[in-house]
Amino acid sequence: MIIVLKPNITKKAEKEVLSEIRKLGYQPHVMRGVARTVIGAIGDELTHHTLETLTTFEQVESVTPIQKRHKLVNREAHPQNSTITLDNGTVIGGAELVVMAGPCSVESEKQLMTCAESVAKSGAKVLRGGAFKPRTSPYEFQGLGEKGLKLLAKARKATGLPVITELLSENHATLVADYADILQIGARNAQNFQLLIAAARTGRPVLLKRGLAMRVNEWLLAGEYVLSNDNPNLLFCERGIRTFEDYTRNTLDLSTIPIIKSESHCPIVIDPSQGCGRSGLVVSLCKGAVAMGADALLVEVHPNPAEAWSDGAQQLTLEGFDQMMRELPPFAEAAGRRL
Ligand code: PEP
Ligand code: MN
């Protein structure tokens, strides 16, 4: 920590600060400048009491932490990229760009099977589909629940695609983990820490969406809940944040790709569907994300978006998804990846 003292303070006031720093378990190093004094407090900020309380001292101008608050998701803790290997041999975070695709919600056997077979044929490696849906209104379709999970298991069996689905409640952790290959923590629950812990403890890989108003640092710390609960398989997923702009449903922050890549060793996934809310923009956003080095994409695809029970406006058609998959390879290659 760096503690800057106010100018022209008395020796006694300086001493008070020094003794408080020692009391909290740090070693103070005083640097006396022309105008003011700066103290470097040496100690492990993650295990010691925080020195931020020093700001309550009248003679202290500022206290700046040096260490990052997240240690396990941090690249310093794990310089190599982490990879996540799924049952079908797909590796996320490696040389291959992984595309996860499927409907926003599981609606029926026919809808899911048609979609799963088609996206698998087009080259998707993971099937997405919500069985428990976090809907803004309680009057909207809430998902098929366990029936939806069973349909996902059926689709996995038919296509060989591992499944990603949302875990909405701690109460469902075991149930959802029984069916899912990856647990999705939705944007609305990104800082539901008990849910994150429950998800981590199932042992399944966890895909953590960025919250609607979440700062990168908060997102990294939320991810820390997964890693610190003995689950190394964490994926960060950018899905747009809320800004003043309302042309798109959210503002997809593609800058998080290089940011997460430099801050963390965990894979970064881009969800352009929730990100923009308009199917017409999804392909361009995917191309951009891939070119920028995203490890995976999470894309909503529906056999008949016009009749979707949720998020119809943002879902690609089966043909639209197939076309996109044909257009992606040069972008993947440009980023040093294969599709
Ligand atoms: C979804 O993937 O359908 C979804 C609800 O995601 P988010 O939590 O990002 O809104
Ligand atoms: Mn959706």
Side-chain angles (χ1 to χ4, degrees), residues 57-118:
F57 283 54
E58 211 193 315
Q59 63 271 46
V60 171
E61 187 160 285
S62 66
V63 177
T64 313
I66 301 297
Q67 272 175 271
K68 291 181 172 156
R69 287 162 75 201
H70 39 88
K71 51 180 177 177
L72 299 173
V73 298
N74 205 297
R75 202 176 263 288
E76 282 164 22
H78 189 289
Q80 305 301 320
N81 287 335
S82 283
T83 55
I84 292 161
T85 305
L86 303 172
D87 278 356
N88 63 344
T90 297
V91 178
I92 306 175
E96 185 186 3
L97 167 79
V98 176
V99 179
M100 314 186 202
C104 174
S105 302
V106 178
E107 299 167 7
S108 68
E109 179 163 350
K110 183 155 178 272
Q111 173 244 18
L112 186 66
M113 288 301 182
T114 311
C115 196
E117 302 277 7
S118 178

Side-chain angles (χ1 to χ4, degrees), residues 114-283:
T114 311
C115 196
E117 302 277 7
S118 178
V119 296
K121 236 169 92 191
S122 302
K125 292 292 159 62
V126 177
L127 175 66
R128 68 148 286 153
F132 291 96
K133 294 302 299 177
R135 304 308 301 278
T136 301
S137 161
Y139 306 117
E140 290 167 350
F141 176 55
Q142 303 288 307
L144 295 180
E146 189 169 2
K147 188 175 157 212
L149 296 174
K150 291 202 159 100
L151 292 177
L152 285 165
K154 201 163 179 185
R156 175 178 44 209
K157 198 153 179 232
T159 59
L161 295 183
V163 158
I164 175 167
T165 195
E166 179 159 352
L167 174 65
L168 207 49
S169 156
E170 275 169 77
N171 299 334
H172 300 149
T174 323
L175 173 74
V176 178
D178 275 350
Y179 291 95
D181 296 277
I182 305 175
L183 300 179
Q184 171 175 324
I185 300 294
R188 291 153 193 83
N189 271 318
Q191 284 183 301
N192 181 342
F193 303 121
Q194 293 306 315
L195 182 65
L196 287 169
I197 293 169
R201 292 192 174 154
T202 64
R204 293 285 187 206
V206 177
L207 177 140
L208 174 60
K209 297 265 194 128
R210 182 181 184 184
L212 274 72
M214 206 173 187
R215 294 192 165 130
V216 169
N217 214 31
E218 294 166 328
W219 192 20
L220 290 164
L221 283 166
E224 193 77 14
Y225 274 89
V226 175
L227 266 62
S228 65
N229 281 281
D230 302 322
N231 188 332
N233 295 321
L234 171 70
L235 305 106
F236 287 104
C237 178
E238 163 67 35
R239 46 78 71 206
I241 48 172
R242 182 154 300 173
T243 67
F244 56 84
E245 182 56 74
D246 63 1
Y247 183 91
T248 45
R249 180 180 178 186
N250 291 295
T251 299
L252 187 68
D253 183 5
L254 291 180
S255 72
T256 54
I257 300 168
I259 293 171
I260 293 294
K261 282 282 156 218
S262 68
E263 289 287 337
S264 177
H265 51 89
C266 300
I268 172 80
V269 182
I270 295 295
D271 172 349
S273 309
Q274 329 300 321
C276 68
R278 293 159 165 251
S279 59
L281 300 176
V282 166
V283 176

